[in-house]
Amino acid sequence: MRNRFDQELEQLNNELIEMGALIERAIGDASRALLEKDLELAKKAIEHGGLVDDKEKQIERRCLRLLLQQQPVATDLRMVSTALKMITDMERIGDQAEDISEITIRLIDEQYIDSLQHIPAMAHATTRMVTGAIDAFVARDLDRARAVIACDDIVDDLFVQVKDDLIRLIRADSANGEQAIDLIMVAKYFERIGDHATNIAEWVVFSITGEHGNERII
């Protein structure tokens, strides 16, 4: 019975890695589509979002089977419940990559009012956070999870820079207002991706220590 459970856990880890790879591609395609005004890439990022939804359902079913059929002990229960929490945040990351792509499609024929210099940095940082959080779960690496949590401040600072730059452009010319709001929303979606990656990393810490925040749960 234990051998079967371990095999199921290994498959769960593999599916989480696959879901993480889908999210990475969605973020990468969404950010490149925005910067390069690439309509096909934007559409591809939206397609990835649908695949992320399908993978979430698949992992959720596996987790529920493990909980109902295998009667896991406390350590195993933490791992399975962490996976359930992670896929919720991962699915939302996919949604936000779709949101960024939808804005890109709307702006595809417009000249950008800003060089978007900080948005690629946000995309890079958030992608690394997502990858790091999933890797930390699979490797049960507490230090890596905590490093992801620490990176959230970098993304928050970049968001403030983007927002400040765009507000200055609006003040300089009110005609910039509509596009500036769209670009602020893009930056906000990247900032939320960073928040969700942080959530994932915090649940990884819980899977290893039984603590979430300063509270011991299991």
Side-chain angles (χ1 to χ4, degrees):
M1 183 69 76
R2 180 69 216 185
N3 186 51
R4 171 69 181 276
F5 187 84
D6 289 340
Q7 290 174 358
E8 288 282 335
L9 281 180
E10 183 178 357
Q11 186 58 37
L12 174 61
N13 285 344
N14 291 337
E15 289 175 350
L16 284 166
I17 292 169
E18 290 170 8
M19 189 172 180
L22 282 171
I23 291 169
E24 286 180 51
R25 287 199 291 272
I27 299 170
D29 287 346
S31 57
R32 278 185 57 208
L34 178 76
L35 297 172
E36 299 172 12
K37 290 182 170 292
D38 190 319
L39 181 61
E40 293 307 311
L41 268 180
K43 290 178 179 177
K44 190 177 292 186
I46 292 171
E47 290 174 7
H48 287 324
L51 295 174
V52 168
D53 291 343
D54 293 340
K55 184 61 72 173
E56 180 196 23
K57 293 181 178 68
Q58 181 181 343
I59 294 173
E60 187 177 58
R61 286 194 295 270
R62 183 175 298 279
C63 288
L64 292 176
R65 282 200 306 272
L66 283 165
L67 292 173
L68 294 172
Q69 298 175 7
Q70 304 293 340
Q71 298 179 328
V73 297
T75 303
D76 298 327
L77 182 60
R78 286 206 303 264
M79 290 188 68
V80 176
S81 57
T82 294
L84 283 168
K85 292 288 187 180
M86 286 172 61
I87 60 174
T88 299
D89 281 294
M90 292 166 76
E91 188 272 337
R92 289 175 182 165
I93 290 171
D95 286 346
Q96 275 134 22
E98 288 185 68
D99 291 333
I100 291 166
S101 295
E102 287 168 0
I103 290 175
T104 296
I105 291 170
R106 189 160 66 242
L107 298 178
I108 206 79
D109 295 322
E110 296 184 23
Q111 182 176 350
Y112 287 138
I113 59 172
D114 182 64
S115 63
L116 309 184
Q117 59 179 326
H118 299 304
I119 289 178
M122 292 187 78
H124 179 69
T126 53
T127 302
R128 288 187 61 187
M129 288 175 71
V130 171
T131 303
I134 295 165
D135 288 349
F137 175 76
V138 173
R140 297 187 61 73
D141 189 328
L142 195 58
D143 290 338
R144 193 178 299 183
R146 287 174 172 159
V148 171
I149 294 167
C151 284
D152 193 43
D153 289 340
I154 296 171
V155 176
D156 290 344
D157 290 344
L158 286 167
F159 173 68
V160 171
Q161 292 180 61
V162 172
K163 184 176 65 174
D164 289 347
D165 288 346
L166 291 168
I167 287 172
R168 279 195 294 272
L169 287 172
I170 294 172
R171 287 174 176 165
D173 185 350
S174 61
N176 293 328
E178 186 173 348
Q179 190 187 118
I181 291 170
D182 280 334
L183 294 175
I184 287 172
M185 287 305 302
V186 167
K188 187 62 180 176
Y189 290 133
F190 278 119
E191 191 262 344
R192 287 177 181 168
I193 289 172
D195 288 343
H196 288 304
T198 300
N199 290 345
I200 293 169
E202 287 174 346
W203 283 112
V204 172
V205 172
F206 161 75
S207 76
I208 299 168
T209 66
E211 297 179 357
H212 190 261
N214 295 320
E215 182 181 359
R216 185 165 190 86
I217 303 175
I218 299 177

